[in-house]
Amino acid sequence: VQLQASGGGLVQPGGSLRLSCAASGINLENYAIGWFRQDPGKEREAVLCISARPDITYYSEPAKGRFTIARENAKNTVYLQMNNLKPEDTAVYYCAADVLFERVVPGRSDYWGQGTLVTVSS
């Protein structure tokens, strides 16, 4: 099983990025997915998580109104769309997958991707 996170980069404040989490070895349609982020020296935090079925979504406070999550089952990929980015959104972002939504939100997923760095700076 492999999760491949990508799409990070440098963006100016107010800009947008779309992160991708592509999976091999599992069908993401059957898994709850979480996006997490971690700043150096800080604990990893859940940003936005979605259950498999029915769609239940957890939004962290920073994500509300700015970030959305979407599945593209045909590509076995989940996206994190981030709009109106702020410097405090700078972090390494990770995706995670587990069959149980209750394990995803607290960061106890079975499967994790490598991080992708998002830097928000002018």
Side-chain angles (χ1 to χ4, degrees), residues 46-51 56-61 63 101 105:
V47 175
L48 210 164
C49 305
I50 188 169
S51 64
I56 301 170
T57 307
Y58 164 84
Y59 287 88
S60 64
E61 283 299 321
F101 182 67
V105 176

Side-chain angles (χ1 to χ4, degrees), residues 69-119:
I69 193 169
R71 298 177 181 270
E72 187 169 1
N73 293 332
K75 293 187 176 181
N76 207 23
T77 298
V78 176
Y79 303 101
L80 179 68
Q81 177 68 44
M82 304 187 294
N83 299 323
N84 190 22
L85 283 162
K86 304 175 181 180
E88 51 264 41
D89 295 317
T90 295
V92 177
Y93 283 71
Y94 300 87
C95 61
D98 198 285
V99 292
L100 296 178
F101 182 67
E102 306 85 79
R103 289 173 52 88
V104 170
V105 176
R108 296 198 296 267
S109 298
D110 278 342
Y111 306 115
W112 289 84
Q114 90 296 351
T116 184
L117 176 63
V118 172
T119 303

